[in-house]
Amino acid sequence: KLGLLPLIFLIYFEVAGGPYGEEPAVQAAGPFFAILGFLIFPFIWSIPEALITAELSTAYPGNGGFVIWADRAFGPFFGSLMGTWKFLSVAINIAAFPALCIDYLKRIFPIFASGKPRTLALVISTFLLSILNYTGLAIVGYVAVAIGIISLAPFIIMSLIAIPQIHPHRWMSFGQKGVKKDWNLFFNTLFWNLNFWDNVSTMAGEVENPRKTFPLALFCSVILTCLGYIIPLVAVTGAVEVDQALWETGFMADAARTISGQWLKLWIEIGAVLSAIGLFEAQLSSSAYQILGMAELGFLPKFCGVRSKWFNTPWVGISVTTAVVIGVSFMSYQNIVASANFLYSLGMLLEFASFLYLRVKLPQLKRPFKVPFGRVFLVLMCLIPSAFLVYIMVIATTTVYIVSAGMTAAGVGWFFLMKLCRGKGWLNFNRVLVDAE
């Protein structure tokens, strides 16, 4: 069973893993809006999502997480659709981490910049990284603790060294003249760096005393994540003045060289690789246990819940997720992020609706942790981030619309296929699904 410390770092790596990847926010809108975004966005998005996750995970402490919530609120069709949206969004998101890792590695080894070497690196790294998940969630959790400490340390050092070099007026820059603001990139960067708080809910059945551990772990992870983003961002934007176009993914390493020297640049690049590994492992775990949970709940055939005899890990879930990750890993980095965000937005709208509906439908449900607000505030708490979700979906590109529509249609088709298999007895399921009352 997972204890408090590894759970904190697993949640941390579900969401962030360090300030790697926050740089495009500055490139898109300039230092002022980037700092403002990472200061405000946690209050309108991260904290509400973490609070909802804490309440519903303690009320339904089993593997499956958000799938259980949607099923209990609106019935099996929406539970299955939630599972499709969330699984695919996470699987697409996971594909970004080997790519992010290689984007840093190519600064040391230029051969990985393009062509067959990059393609082979993506496939091989994805396969090798998945192997760690077979050894057990406890091992993954403590690996996350070690990686978290190593990858965060250079940013703490860089931020301290940067203090004498900071010029506060640089924080007020709205961007360079003549550079058009890319709000699509800006908001997708914020969203991508600060979402997926509810992913850990799919592993609730593997947590030691989840009703007490989950809320505390989520609280600690929110603090760690927010500070991990804002402190290095404030330090670098205040100490380094460069062409705005240079603020692409990986720029933090170049900034470290300017502030302190080559040794710190190398440490951050190594930290980026380790952070990508931590992100990959944490999110692969949540996807694998989601498949396990959906099999236990009867949304997927019984064999999807098979565990390894050696390590007791959901090897079917790990294998399926890894295959999907490799399949989407050749999309462009920006399309990966945007597609993951779109599908995740659909799932979050359903999750907010499930949370509010369960408060009305089951007011007497035992909630070991309960968000301490009345219904009016809870509605507002969900509406504000919902408006942002709608905005994220509206500004999506045609490619993202096509990919998301195709995957949603496949999810609907999958539900009815499983229903047919259940009715005909073609596959074995753990339980018979019933519509919500």
Side-chain angles (χ1 to χ4, degrees), residues 18-27 30-40 155-156 158-159 162 166-167 170-171 186 189-190 193-194 225-240 247 251-252 255 259:
Y20 309 99
E22 70 175 341
E23 301 99 330
V26 179
Q27 184 186 64
F32 177 80
F33 286 110
I35 293 171
L36 192 66
F38 278 100
L39 280 173
I40 294 177
F155 290 100
I156 296 172
M158 179 180 68
S159 299
I166 289 176
H167 297 278
R170 292 174 178 167
W171 297 332
F186 176 76
T189 300
L190 285 178
N193 279 281
L194 288 164
T225 297
C226 294
L227 292 179
Y229 277 127
I230 196 64
I231 291 175
L233 181 62
V234 168
V236 174
T237 53
V240 178
W247 277 85
F251 175 74
M252 282 289 184
I259 291 171

Short mmCIF file of all heavy atoms in Angstrom, two decimals, residues 18-27 30-40 155-156 158-159 162 166-167 170-171 186 189-190 193-194 225-240 247 251-252 255 259:
data_model
loop_
_atom_site.label_atom_id
_atom_site.label_comp_id
_atom_site.label_asym_id
_atom_site.label_seq_id
_atom_site.Cartn_x
_atom_site.Cartn_y
_atom_site.Cartn_z
N GLY A 18 8.04 19.59 -11.92
CA GLY A 18 9.01 20.67 -12.00
C GLY A 18 8.62 21.69 -13.05
O GLY A 18 7.66 21.50 -13.79
N PRO A 19 9.39 22.77 -13.14
CA PRO A 19 9.05 23.85 -14.08
C PRO A 19 9.44 23.57 -15.53
O PRO A 19 9.46 24.49 -16.35
CB PRO A 19 9.82 25.04 -13.52
CG PRO A 19 10.98 24.45 -12.82
CD PRO A 19 10.51 23.14 -12.26
N TYR A 20 9.78 22.32 -15.83
CA TYR A 20 10.09 21.95 -17.21
C TYR A 20 8.81 22.02 -18.05
O TYR A 20 7.83 21.36 -17.75
CB TYR A 20 10.63 20.52 -17.27
CG TYR A 20 11.77 20.25 -16.31
CD1 TYR A 20 11.53 19.62 -15.10
CD2 TYR A 20 13.06 20.63 -16.62
CE1 TYR A 20 12.57 19.35 -14.21
CE2 TYR A 20 14.10 20.37 -15.75
CZ TYR A 20 13.86 19.74 -14.55
OH TYR A 20 14.89 19.48 -13.67
N GLY A 21 8.82 22.82 -19.09
CA GLY A 21 7.65 22.93 -19.95
C GLY A 21 6.81 24.17 -19.72
O GLY A 21 5.85 24.41 -20.44
N GLU A 22 7.18 25.02 -18.72
CA GLU A 22 6.42 26.25 -18.50
C GLU A 22 6.93 27.40 -19.39
O GLU A 22 6.27 28.42 -19.52
CB GLU A 22 6.49 26.68 -17.04
CG GLU A 22 7.84 27.18 -16.58
CD GLU A 22 7.81 27.71 -15.14
OE1 GLU A 22 6.72 28.03 -14.64
OE2 GLU A 22 8.90 27.81 -14.54
N GLU A 23 8.09 27.22 -20.02
CA GLU A 23 8.71 28.29 -20.79
C GLU A 23 7.84 28.86 -21.92
O GLU A 23 7.85 30.08 -22.15
CB GLU A 23 10.06 27.82 -21.38
CG GLU A 23 11.08 27.37 -20.36
CD GLU A 23 11.14 25.86 -20.20
OE1 GLU A 23 10.09 25.21 -20.39
OE2 GLU A 23 12.23 25.34 -19.90
N PRO A 24 7.07 28.03 -22.66
CA PRO A 24 6.26 28.59 -23.76
C PRO A 24 5.25 29.64 -23.32
O PRO A 24 4.78 30.42 -24.15
CB PRO A 24 5.56 27.35 -24.32
CG PRO A 24 6.48 26.22 -24.03
CD PRO A 24 7.06 26.54 -22.69
N ALA A 25 4.90 29.69 -22.03
CA ALA A 25 3.98 30.73 -21.56
C ALA A 25 4.60 32.11 -21.72
O ALA A 25 3.92 33.08 -22.07
CB ALA A 25 3.61 30.48 -20.10
N VAL A 26 5.91 32.21 -21.48
CA VAL A 26 6.62 33.49 -21.67
C VAL A 26 6.76 33.78 -23.16
O VAL A 26 6.57 34.92 -23.60
CB VAL A 26 8.02 33.44 -21.01
CG1 VAL A 26 8.76 34.75 -21.23
CG2 VAL A 26 7.88 33.15 -19.51
N GLN A 27 7.07 32.77 -23.93
CA GLN A 27 7.18 32.94 -25.38
C GLN A 27 5.87 33.42 -25.98
O GLN A 27 5.85 34.27 -26.88
CB GLN A 27 7.59 31.62 -26.03
CG GLN A 27 7.82 31.70 -27.53
CD GLN A 27 8.07 30.32 -28.13
OE1 GLN A 27 7.20 29.46 -28.10
NE2 GLN A 27 9.27 30.11 -28.64
N GLY A 30 4.73 36.90 -22.96
CA GLY A 30 5.63 37.78 -22.22
C GLY A 30 5.68 37.46 -20.73
O GLY A 30 4.82 36.75 -20.20
N PRO A 31 6.69 38.00 -20.02
CA PRO A 31 6.90 37.67 -18.60
C PRO A 31 5.72 38.02 -17.69
O PRO A 31 5.35 37.23 -16.82
CB PRO A 31 8.14 38.50 -18.22
CG PRO A 31 8.86 38.70 -19.51
CD PRO A 31 7.80 38.82 -20.56
N PHE A 32 5.11 39.20 -17.87
CA PHE A 32 4.05 39.63 -16.96
C PHE A 32 2.88 38.66 -16.97
O PHE A 32 2.41 38.22 -15.91
CB PHE A 32 3.56 41.04 -17.34
CG PHE A 32 2.42 41.52 -16.49
CD1 PHE A 32 2.64 42.04 -15.23
CD2 PHE A 32 1.10 41.44 -16.94
CE1 PHE A 32 1.59 42.48 -14.43
CE2 PHE A 32 0.04 41.87 -16.16
CZ PHE A 32 0.30 42.39 -14.90
N PHE A 33 2.39 38.33 -18.14
CA PHE A 33 1.23 37.44 -18.23
C PHE A 33 1.59 36.01 -17.80
O PHE A 33 0.74 35.30 -17.25
CB PHE A 33 0.65 37.45 -19.64
CG PHE A 33 -0.10 38.71 -19.97
CD1 PHE A 33 0.42 39.62 -20.88
CD2 PHE A 33 -1.31 39.00 -19.37
CE1 PHE A 33 -0.26 40.79 -21.18
CE2 PHE A 33 -2.00 40.16 -19.66
CZ PHE A 33 -1.47 41.06 -20.57
N ALA A 34 2.83 35.59 -18.06
CA ALA A 34 3.25 34.26 -17.63
C ALA A 34 3.24 34.15 -16.11
O ALA A 34 2.71 33.19 -15.54
CB ALA A 34 4.64 33.94 -18.18
N ILE A 35 3.82 35.14 -15.44
CA ILE A 35 3.84 35.15 -13.97
C ILE A 35 2.42 35.24 -13.43
O ILE A 35 2.04 34.50 -12.51
CB ILE A 35 4.70 36.32 -13.45
CG1 ILE A 35 6.17 36.10 -13.82
CG2 ILE A 35 4.55 36.47 -11.94
CD1 ILE A 35 7.06 37.30 -13.54
N LEU A 36 1.62 36.13 -14.01
CA LEU A 36 0.23 36.29 -13.57
C LEU A 36 -0.55 34.99 -13.75
O LEU A 36 -1.33 34.59 -12.87
CB LEU A 36 -0.44 37.42 -14.36
CG LEU A 36 -1.80 37.91 -13.85
CD1 LEU A 36 -1.63 38.57 -12.48
CD2 LEU A 36 -2.41 38.90 -14.85
N GLY A 37 -0.32 34.32 -14.87
CA GLY A 37 -1.02 33.07 -15.13
C GLY A 37 -0.71 31.99 -14.10
O GLY A 37 -1.61 31.32 -13.59
N PHE A 38 0.58 31.83 -13.78
CA PHE A 38 0.97 30.80 -12.82
C PHE A 38 0.65 31.19 -11.38
O PHE A 38 0.68 30.34 -10.49
CB PHE A 38 2.45 30.46 -12.97
CG PHE A 38 2.73 29.50 -14.09
CD1 PHE A 38 3.19 29.96 -15.32
CD2 PHE A 38 2.51 28.14 -13.93
CE1 PHE A 38 3.43 29.07 -16.37
CE2 PHE A 38 2.74 27.25 -14.97
CZ PHE A 38 3.20 27.72 -16.19
N LEU A 39 0.33 32.45 -11.14
CA LEU A 39 -0.13 32.87 -9.82
C LEU A 39 -1.63 32.67 -9.65
O LEU A 39 -2.10 32.21 -8.59
CB LEU A 39 0.20 34.36 -9.59
CG LEU A 39 1.63 34.70 -9.18
CD1 LEU A 39 1.82 36.22 -9.16
CD2 LEU A 39 1.98 34.10 -7.81
N ILE A 40 -2.40 32.99 -10.69
CA ILE A 40 -3.86 32.98 -10.58
C ILE A 40 -4.46 31.62 -10.92
O ILE A 40 -5.40 31.16 -10.27
CB ILE A 40 -4.46 34.07 -11.50
CG1 ILE A 40 -4.07 35.46 -10.98
CG2 ILE A 40 -5.99 33.95 -11.56
CD1 ILE A 40 -4.55 36.59 -11.87
N PHE A 155 16.80 23.96 -9.53
CA PHE A 155 15.98 25.17 -9.64
C PHE A 155 16.02 25.99 -8.35
O PHE A 155 15.97 27.22 -8.38
CB PHE A 155 14.55 24.81 -10.01
CG PHE A 155 14.41 24.30 -11.41
CD1 PHE A 155 14.32 22.95 -11.67
CD2 PHE A 155 14.40 25.18 -12.48
CE1 PHE A 155 14.21 22.48 -12.97
CE2 PHE A 155 14.28 24.73 -13.78
CZ PHE A 155 14.20 23.37 -14.03
N ILE A 156 16.09 25.28 -7.22
CA ILE A 156 16.24 25.99 -5.96
C ILE A 156 17.58 26.73 -5.93
O ILE A 156 17.66 27.91 -5.57
CB ILE A 156 16.14 25.00 -4.78
CG1 ILE A 156 14.75 24.36 -4.73
CG2 ILE A 156 16.45 25.71 -3.46
CD1 ILE A 156 14.63 23.24 -3.72
N MET A 158 19.45 27.62 -8.55
CA MET A 158 19.43 28.68 -9.56
C MET A 158 18.67 29.91 -9.06
O MET A 158 19.12 31.05 -9.25
CB MET A 158 18.79 28.18 -10.85
CG MET A 158 18.72 29.23 -11.96
SD MET A 158 17.96 28.62 -13.48
CE MET A 158 16.26 28.38 -12.94
N SER A 159 17.54 29.69 -8.41
CA SER A 159 16.73 30.81 -7.92
C SER A 159 17.48 31.60 -6.86
O SER A 159 17.40 32.83 -6.82
CB SER A 159 15.41 30.28 -7.37
OG SER A 159 14.67 29.63 -8.38
N ALA A 162 20.26 33.60 -8.51
CA ALA A 162 19.73 34.66 -9.37
C ALA A 162 19.31 35.90 -8.60
O ALA A 162 19.17 36.98 -9.20
CB ALA A 162 18.52 34.12 -10.15
N ILE A 166 18.49 39.96 -10.22
CA ILE A 166 17.10 40.25 -10.59
C ILE A 166 16.85 41.75 -10.71
O ILE A 166 17.26 42.54 -9.86
CB ILE A 166 16.13 39.65 -9.53
CG1 ILE A 166 16.13 38.12 -9.65
CG2 ILE A 166 14.71 40.19 -9.73
CD1 ILE A 166 15.29 37.42 -8.60
N HIS A 167 16.19 42.15 -11.79
CA HIS A 167 15.72 43.52 -12.01
C HIS A 167 14.20 43.46 -12.08
O HIS A 167 13.63 43.02 -13.09
CB HIS A 167 16.29 44.08 -13.31
CG HIS A 167 17.80 44.18 -13.30
ND1 HIS A 167 18.48 45.23 -12.72
CD2 HIS A 167 18.74 43.34 -13.78
CE1 HIS A 167 19.78 45.06 -12.86
NE2 HIS A 167 19.97 43.91 -13.51
N ARG A 170 11.67 43.94 -15.11
CA ARG A 170 11.51 42.96 -16.18
C ARG A 170 10.25 42.13 -16.02
O ARG A 170 9.71 41.60 -16.99
CB ARG A 170 12.73 42.03 -16.22
CG ARG A 170 14.01 42.74 -16.67
CD ARG A 170 15.22 41.82 -16.54
NE ARG A 170 16.43 42.48 -17.01
CZ ARG A 170 17.67 42.02 -16.79
NH1 ARG A 170 17.83 40.88 -16.12
NH2 ARG A 170 18.71 42.68 -17.25
N TRP A 171 9.78 42.00 -14.77
CA TRP A 171 8.55 41.25 -14.54
C TRP A 171 7.33 41.93 -15.16
O TRP A 171 6.32 41.29 -15.40
CB TRP A 171 8.31 41.07 -13.04
CG TRP A 171 9.37 40.28 -12.33
CD1 TRP A 171 10.17 39.30 -12.87
CD2 TRP A 171 9.76 40.41 -10.96
NE1 TRP A 171 11.03 38.80 -11.93
CE2 TRP A 171 10.80 39.45 -10.74
CE3 TRP A 171 9.34 41.20 -9.90
CZ2 TRP A 171 11.42 39.31 -9.49
CZ3 TRP A 171 9.94 41.04 -8.65
CH2 TRP A 171 10.97 40.11 -8.46
N PHE A 186 -0.47 30.01 -24.94
CA PHE A 186 -0.37 30.47 -23.55
C PHE A 186 -1.31 29.66 -22.64
O PHE A 186 -0.88 29.10 -21.63
CB PHE A 186 -0.72 31.95 -23.48
CG PHE A 186 -0.75 32.51 -22.08
CD1 PHE A 186 0.43 32.77 -21.41
CD2 PHE A 186 -1.95 32.77 -21.45
CE1 PHE A 186 0.42 33.29 -20.11
CE2 PHE A 186 -1.99 33.28 -20.16
CZ PHE A 186 -0.80 33.54 -19.49
N THR A 189 -0.52 25.95 -22.42
CA THR A 189 0.65 25.71 -21.58
C THR A 189 0.28 25.74 -20.11
O THR A 189 0.68 24.86 -19.33
CB THR A 189 1.75 26.76 -21.86
OG1 THR A 189 2.15 26.69 -23.24
CG2 THR A 189 2.98 26.51 -20.99
N LEU A 190 -0.50 26.75 -19.70
CA LEU A 190 -0.96 26.82 -18.32
C LEU A 190 -1.76 25.58 -17.95
O LEU A 190 -1.56 24.96 -16.90
CB LEU A 190 -1.83 28.06 -18.10
CG LEU A 190 -1.13 29.43 -18.02
CD1 LEU A 190 -2.18 30.52 -17.85
CD2 LEU A 190 -0.16 29.46 -16.85
N ASN A 193 0.27 22.32 -17.74
CA ASN A 193 1.19 22.27 -16.60
C ASN A 193 0.49 22.16 -15.26
O ASN A 193 1.13 21.85 -14.25
CB ASN A 193 2.11 23.50 -16.59
CG ASN A 193 3.27 23.37 -17.55
OD1 ASN A 193 4.26 22.70 -17.26
ND2 ASN A 193 3.15 23.99 -18.72
N LEU A 194 -0.82 22.42 -15.20
CA LEU A 194 -1.50 22.49 -13.91
C LEU A 194 -2.75 21.62 -13.83
O LEU A 194 -3.59 21.82 -12.96
CB LEU A 194 -1.86 23.95 -13.59
CG LEU A 194 -0.67 24.85 -13.21
CD1 LEU A 194 -1.06 26.32 -13.29
CD2 LEU A 194 -0.16 24.50 -11.82
N THR A 225 3.67 21.97 -6.04
CA THR A 225 3.55 22.26 -7.47
C THR A 225 3.57 23.75 -7.76
O THR A 225 4.31 24.23 -8.64
CB THR A 225 2.25 21.64 -8.03
OG1 THR A 225 2.31 20.23 -7.89
CG2 THR A 225 2.07 22.00 -9.50
N CYS A 226 2.77 24.52 -7.02
CA CYS A 226 2.68 25.96 -7.28
C CYS A 226 4.01 26.66 -7.03
O CYS A 226 4.44 27.48 -7.84
CB CYS A 226 1.58 26.57 -6.41
SG CYS A 226 -0.08 26.00 -6.85
N LEU A 227 4.67 26.32 -5.93
CA LEU A 227 5.97 26.93 -5.64
C LEU A 227 7.02 26.49 -6.65
O LEU A 227 7.89 27.28 -7.04
CB LEU A 227 6.41 26.56 -4.23
CG LEU A 227 5.60 27.15 -3.07
CD1 LEU A 227 6.14 26.67 -1.73
CD2 LEU A 227 5.60 28.68 -3.13
N GLY A 228 6.93 25.23 -7.07
CA GLY A 228 7.90 24.72 -8.04
C GLY A 228 7.83 25.41 -9.39
O GLY A 228 8.82 25.44 -10.13
N TYR A 229 6.66 25.96 -9.72
CA TYR A 229 6.53 26.70 -10.98
C TYR A 229 6.89 28.18 -10.82
O TYR A 229 7.65 28.73 -11.61
CB TYR A 229 5.08 26.61 -11.49
CG TYR A 229 4.78 25.37 -12.27
CD1 TYR A 229 3.69 24.55 -11.93
CD2 TYR A 229 5.55 24.99 -13.37
CE1 TYR A 229 3.40 23.41 -12.65
CE2 TYR A 229 5.25 23.86 -14.09
CZ TYR A 229 4.19 23.06 -13.73
OH TYR A 229 3.92 21.92 -14.45
N ILE A 230 6.33 28.83 -9.82
CA ILE A 230 6.41 30.28 -9.76
C ILE A 230 7.78 30.79 -9.36
O ILE A 230 8.25 31.81 -9.87
CB ILE A 230 5.30 30.85 -8.83
CG1 ILE A 230 5.13 32.34 -9.08
CG2 ILE A 230 5.60 30.55 -7.39
CD1 ILE A 230 4.64 32.70 -10.46
N ILE A 231 8.48 30.12 -8.43
CA ILE A 231 9.76 30.63 -7.95
C ILE A 231 10.81 30.67 -9.07
O ILE A 231 11.44 31.71 -9.30
CB ILE A 231 10.25 29.81 -6.73
CG1 ILE A 231 9.35 30.09 -5.52
CG2 ILE A 231 11.71 30.15 -6.40
CD1 ILE A 231 9.67 29.26 -4.30
N PRO A 232 11.05 29.56 -9.81
CA PRO A 232 12.03 29.66 -10.90
C PRO A 232 11.61 30.63 -12.00
O PRO A 232 12.46 31.31 -12.58
CB PRO A 232 12.08 28.22 -11.44
CG PRO A 232 11.59 27.37 -10.34
CD PRO A 232 10.55 28.19 -9.64
N LEU A 233 10.30 30.72 -12.28
CA LEU A 233 9.82 31.64 -13.31
C LEU A 233 10.12 33.08 -12.94
O LEU A 233 10.60 33.87 -13.77
CB LEU A 233 8.33 31.44 -13.54
CG LEU A 233 7.68 32.32 -14.61
CD1 LEU A 233 8.29 32.03 -15.98
CD2 LEU A 233 6.16 32.09 -14.66
N VAL A 234 9.83 33.46 -11.70
CA VAL A 234 10.11 34.81 -11.23
C VAL A 234 11.62 35.07 -11.24
O VAL A 234 12.07 36.16 -11.64
CB VAL A 234 9.53 35.01 -9.81
CG1 VAL A 234 10.06 36.29 -9.18
CG2 VAL A 234 8.01 35.04 -9.86
N ALA A 235 12.40 34.10 -10.82
CA ALA A 235 13.85 34.27 -10.76
C ALA A 235 14.45 34.48 -12.15
O ALA A 235 15.24 35.42 -12.38
CB ALA A 235 14.50 33.06 -10.09
N VAL A 236 14.06 33.65 -13.11
CA VAL A 236 14.66 33.71 -14.45
C VAL A 236 14.18 34.93 -15.23
O VAL A 236 14.97 35.62 -15.88
CB VAL A 236 14.38 32.41 -15.23
CG1 VAL A 236 14.88 32.53 -16.66
CG2 VAL A 236 15.04 31.23 -14.53
N THR A 237 12.88 35.21 -15.20
CA THR A 237 12.38 36.39 -15.94
C THR A 237 12.96 37.68 -15.36
O THR A 237 13.13 38.66 -16.09
CB THR A 237 10.84 36.46 -15.90
OG1 THR A 237 10.38 36.38 -14.54
CG2 THR A 237 10.22 35.34 -16.71
N GLY A 238 13.27 37.70 -14.07
CA GLY A 238 13.85 38.89 -13.47
C GLY A 238 15.34 39.01 -13.69
O GLY A 238 15.88 40.12 -13.73
N ALA A 239 16.03 37.88 -13.87
CA ALA A 239 17.50 37.92 -13.97
C ALA A 239 18.02 37.86 -15.39
O ALA A 239 19.15 38.27 -15.66
CB ALA A 239 18.08 36.74 -13.17
N VAL A 240 17.22 37.35 -16.33
CA VAL A 240 17.69 37.15 -17.70
C VAL A 240 16.80 37.92 -18.67
O VAL A 240 15.57 37.81 -18.62
CB VAL A 240 17.67 35.64 -18.06
CG1 VAL A 240 18.11 35.45 -19.51
CG2 VAL A 240 18.57 34.86 -17.12
N TRP A 247 12.24 31.59 -25.53
CA TRP A 247 11.58 30.93 -24.41
C TRP A 247 10.76 29.73 -24.90
O TRP A 247 9.55 29.66 -24.75
CB TRP A 247 10.66 31.91 -23.68
CG TRP A 247 11.38 32.75 -22.68
CD1 TRP A 247 12.05 33.91 -22.91
CD2 TRP A 247 11.50 32.50 -21.28
NE1 TRP A 247 12.58 34.40 -21.75
CE2 TRP A 247 12.25 33.56 -20.73
CE3 TRP A 247 11.04 31.50 -20.43
CZ2 TRP A 247 12.57 33.62 -19.37
CZ3 TRP A 247 11.35 31.55 -19.09
CH2 TRP A 247 12.10 32.61 -18.57
N PHE A 251 14.37 26.16 -22.33
CA PHE A 251 15.12 27.40 -22.14
C PHE A 251 15.64 27.54 -20.71
O PHE A 251 16.66 28.19 -20.47
CB PHE A 251 14.25 28.62 -22.48
CG PHE A 251 14.92 29.93 -22.18
CD1 PHE A 251 15.94 30.39 -23.00
CD2 PHE A 251 14.57 30.68 -21.06
CE1 PHE A 251 16.59 31.59 -22.72
CE2 PHE A 251 15.20 31.88 -20.78
CZ PHE A 251 16.22 32.33 -21.62
N MET A 252 14.96 26.93 -19.72
CA MET A 252 15.41 27.04 -18.33
C MET A 252 16.87 26.58 -18.18
O MET A 252 17.62 27.12 -17.37
CB MET A 252 14.50 26.23 -17.41
CG MET A 252 13.18 26.89 -17.10
SD MET A 252 13.38 28.31 -16.01
CE MET A 252 11.67 28.76 -15.74
N ALA A 255 19.06 29.37 -19.39
CA ALA A 255 19.03 30.44 -18.40
C ALA A 255 19.94 30.11 -17.22
O ALA A 255 20.62 30.99 -16.67
CB ALA A 255 17.61 30.68 -17.92
N ILE A 259 22.95 32.37 -15.66
CA ILE A 259 22.91 32.82 -14.27
C ILE A 259 24.08 32.28 -13.46
O ILE A 259 24.68 33.00 -12.66
CB ILE A 259 21.58 32.38 -13.61
CG1 ILE A 259 20.42 33.17 -14.24
CG2 ILE A 259 21.60 32.59 -12.10
CD1 ILE A 259 19.05 32.66 -13.84
#
